[in-house]
Amino acid sequence: MRIFTLIYPRVASRFTREDMMNFSKVVRGVAAVPIGPDLPFVLSAQDSRLTPLQSSILTALECVDQCPDTEMSLAAHIVMEYLVLGTLSYLPPPVLGTPALDLLGKKLAHQTRMSKSEESVYIALGEQCISSAVEIYRARKTEDSIIKTHVMENIVKMLRGPLGLKYSCPSQSTWLLCHSTLLSVIEEGVDAACDRASEFEGMWIELGKCIEEFLFGDQPPMNLTYEERMAHEQLDVKMIRLIQEQILPRASHTPSSFISHVMTLLNRGSVHATSPQPLTTAELYNPLPATLRATDPDAINTLPLREQFAKSCFETLLQFSFYKASSSSGDVSKLALGTLLKRCQEVLQNYVKDEKLSGRCPLPRSRMAEIAFVMRAISSLIGSLQARRDHMTHIDVEVWDHVVGLYPYLIDCVTCNSNEVRDTLKEALHRFRDLLVPPKLAAEETEIDGQMK
């Protein structure tokens, strides 16, 4: 590999794509070479986590990418090589003679068994390759060769493996790196994906699957501390914030199937904070510290699940219920509003039913927080309807029917035992006073008041 680094600048102008394919085979084969038991004696001086051979692989790839004498851009091919090697961060390398590493991370028939120290070296190489691939993409994301070879789609596809495995990754640093990498790639590439939508259809499909598998895939192990669970929940919230700030405002330039998928995930996330069945230890997402569980075993049933995550999902649905940035954004508003109203009705129905069954025993705090939040959301929703009506903005009849249809379910909550719920219920019922004025009558009153003034 070191000899190649010295020779390549002299032959770069004659380096063809066929040569690049042969170079790729060599790189993948060399990367899979077993390290052996003498690991402590072969680590690189430049990076103590890598062997000299692994360092030379990275140097060779950098040489091909940065050499100015080549007539064709090999950036897309280099990114692909980095992504293939990036799978080493969560999959062991194949034995020599087996097929090359697979971008999708499919498990090969024969895999080596290695010690933790050997495994950590491959993980370090994989993580370095992921970072290098994204660095090249960020610098060249607008080049035709990068867009036409679907580099962004391949990056998302590769990241989907560790993000889907999450806590099952050999190293927790891998999925944490992939999380920050995905956010960065979407922020950098979303404009190009919207401007040239026909060339990014596959990327949106992969992104939808990636987000779903990360948010609703592997559950955290019970040995995580309370602080770690809170920190990981914030990563889930960041993913929702990405949808809220980078994707939904550009909904008119993204496939409708992807937006529908996102709305389904937001609805699913808004219900993920509670369970209709009695909570068990395995279902709890945020257990109390071990010391508190030991002193108060019953306290575990009062613990919240991913409250902030569920709240972020619900708030995003609420925010885009009346989103109207362009004429084609109406579908987003309709999807979000329909999902939001359906979710509100489900929460109200389940709360009334569960409170009757619980008798004098209070419901878990997470359930009380959820119903209070939903009632505040209903108040905000009615306020938005009122503002739109005051400005003579057309509102779909079905929306009126759905919102007015929530009224009986709110009345059913009048007998609840929670002061917090009663306060939010009072606010929501006061909002209905203005909403129940027929739209035509409200318009006539506005017109008469204007004439009198």
Side-chain angles (χ1 to χ4, degrees):
M1 298 305 294
R2 289 176 179 172
I3 293 175
F4 174 83
T5 304
L6 298 174
I7 295 176
Y8 179 75
R10 301 177 183 273
V11 300
S13 60
R14 303 190 300 275
F15 203 73
T16 65
R17 283 188 169 82
E18 183 179 355
D19 294 329
M20 184 65 200
M21 297 301 295
N22 292 328
F23 172 68
S24 299
K25 292 179 182 179
V26 173
V27 168
R28 299 179 193 187
V30 170
V33 171
I35 296 175
D38 54 348
L39 173 64
F41 305 99
V42 298
L43 291 178
S44 170
Q46 296 178 349
D47 188 338
S48 59
R49 301 182 305 164
L50 302 178
T51 66
L53 181 58
Q54 291 174 333
S55 296
S56 66
I57 292 174
L58 297 180
T59 302
L61 290 171
E62 291 173 4
C63 178
V64 175
D65 177 52
Q66 297 175 3
C67 186
D69 295 331
T70 181
E71 295 181 358
M72 63 176 180
S73 175
L74 297 175
H77 296 278
I78 296 301
V79 171
M80 199 65 184
E81 284 311 302
Y82 277 129
L83 293 178
V84 171
L85 296 180
T87 60
L88 288 171
S89 62
Y90 65 102
L91 288 175
V95 180
L96 287 176
T98 60
L101 299 174
D102 186 84
L103 176 62
L104 292 175
K106 295 178 181 176
K107 294 183 178 180
L108 302 174
H110 304 286
Q111 295 177 336
T112 57
R113 291 185 178 181
M114 60 186 72
S115 64
K116 287 291 185 180
S117 57
E118 292 177 282
E119 187 179 61
S120 65
V121 175
Y122 287 109
I123 291 172
L125 175 62
E127 291 180 355
Q128 179 61 50
C129 288
I130 293 173
S131 300
S132 298
V134 174
E135 185 177 345
I136 295 176
Y137 174 74
R138 294 180 66 180
R140 306 187 181 188
K141 59 181 180 291
T142 57
E143 294 182 7
D144 281 346
S145 62
I146 295 294
I147 294 176
K148 291 181 179 179
T149 53
H150 309 292
V151 167
M152 185 177 181
E153 176 184 343
N154 287 324
I155 291 177
V156 175
K157 185 183 296 185
M158 187 270 142
L159 296 177
R160 182 181 159 196
L163 291 176
L165 289 173
K166 205 171 183 178
Y167 297 105
S168 299
C169 280
S171 173
Q172 294 302 289
S173 63
T174 301
W175 72 264
L176 292 171
L177 169 66
C178 291
H179 176 273
S180 61
T181 298
L182 179 65
L183 299 185
S184 174
V185 167
I186 297 304
E187 290 175 0
E188 292 284 341
V190 68
D191 287 331
C194 292
D195 293 340
R196 303 173 65 167
S198 61
E199 297 176 277
F200 286 86
E201 292 179 358
M203 188 281 296
W204 292 114
I205 295 175
E206 286 296 328
L207 180 59
K209 293 177 181 179
C210 183
I211 293 175
E212 180 175 11
E213 291 171 5
F214 174 74
L215 294 178
F216 305 105
D218 196 21
Q219 294 298 310
M222 294 303 295
N223 60 356
L224 283 184
T225 65
Y226 183 80
E227 290 74 18
E228 288 174 329
R229 292 171 185 271
M230 292 293 99
H232 292 176
E233 182 181 355
Q234 288 305 310
L235 298 181
D236 297 340
V237 172
K238 284 185 178 181
M239 192 71 76
I240 298 302
R241 198 169 298 148
L242 172 75
I243 295 173
Q244 183 183 42
E245 297 175 356
Q246 300 293 335
I247 296 176
L248 291 182
R250 299 176 173 88
S252 58
H253 302 285
T254 57
S256 58
S257 58
F258 175 76
I259 297 301
S260 299
H261 191 187
V262 166
M263 290 302 169
T264 301
L265 295 181
L266 291 174
N267 181 55
R268 184 178 174 185
S270 69
V271 305
H272 205 64
T274 58
S275 171
Q277 302 297 330
L279 296 176
T280 64
T281 302
E283 292 171 330
L284 288 170
Y285 191 96
N286 288 324
L288 291 173
T291 53
L292 184 54
R293 292 202 304 270
T295 57
D296 186 5
D298 295 332
I300 194 168
N301 288 324
T302 65
L303 294 171
L305 302 186
R306 291 193 290 179
E307 286 188 19
Q308 291 300 317
F309 169 70
K311 183 178 179 181
S312 296
C313 291
F314 204 100
E315 286 177 341
T316 302
L317 287 173
L318 181 61
Q319 176 183 342
F320 285 90
S321 293
F322 294 104
Y323 178 72
K324 193 72 173 176
S326 63
S327 58
S328 58
S329 298
D331 292 339
V332 182
S333 300
K334 190 172 182 179
L335 281 170
L337 188 55
T339 305
L340 179 67
L341 291 170
K342 180 180 178 181
R343 176 66 189 129
C344 288
Q345 181 175 328
E346 290 175 352
V347 171
L348 292 172
Q349 285 179 304
N350 291 335
Y351 173 76
V352 172
K353 178 181 177 181
D354 292 345
E355 190 182 49
K356 289 180 180 178
L357 292 175
S358 66
R360 295 184 178 182
C361 297
L363 293 175
R365 187 176 67 83
S366 60
R367 296 297 303 278
M368 306 304 291
E370 181 187 44
I371 187 65
F373 182 77
V374 164
M375 289 186 179
R376 293 191 189 98
I378 292 174
S379 299
S380 300
L381 183 61
I382 295 173
S384 299
L385 283 170
Q386 180 66 27
R388 287 167 63 86
R389 187 175 65 177
D390 291 344
H391 289 84
M392 304 298 291
T393 304
H394 173 72
I395 299 176
D396 196 302
V397 175
E398 291 184 5
V399 173
W400 286 99
D401 291 340
H402 279 302
V403 174
V404 174
L406 294 176
Y407 189 77
Y409 300 106
L410 290 172
I411 296 300
D412 289 339
C413 297
V414 169
T415 57
C416 67
N417 299 320
S418 170
N419 291 330
E420 181 183 7
V421 173
R422 281 198 293 265
D423 291 339
T424 55
L425 174 62
K426 185 187 300 183
E427 179 184 351
L429 291 176
H430 278 304
R431 283 285 190 179
F432 265 91
R433 173 187 173 278
D434 298 327
L435 182 64
L436 293 176
V437 177
K440 291 184 179 179
L441 179 58
E444 292 173 359
E445 289 179 353
T446 302
E447 183 178 354
I448 293 173
D449 291 342
Q451 292 175 354
M452 293 179 63
K453 292 179 179 179

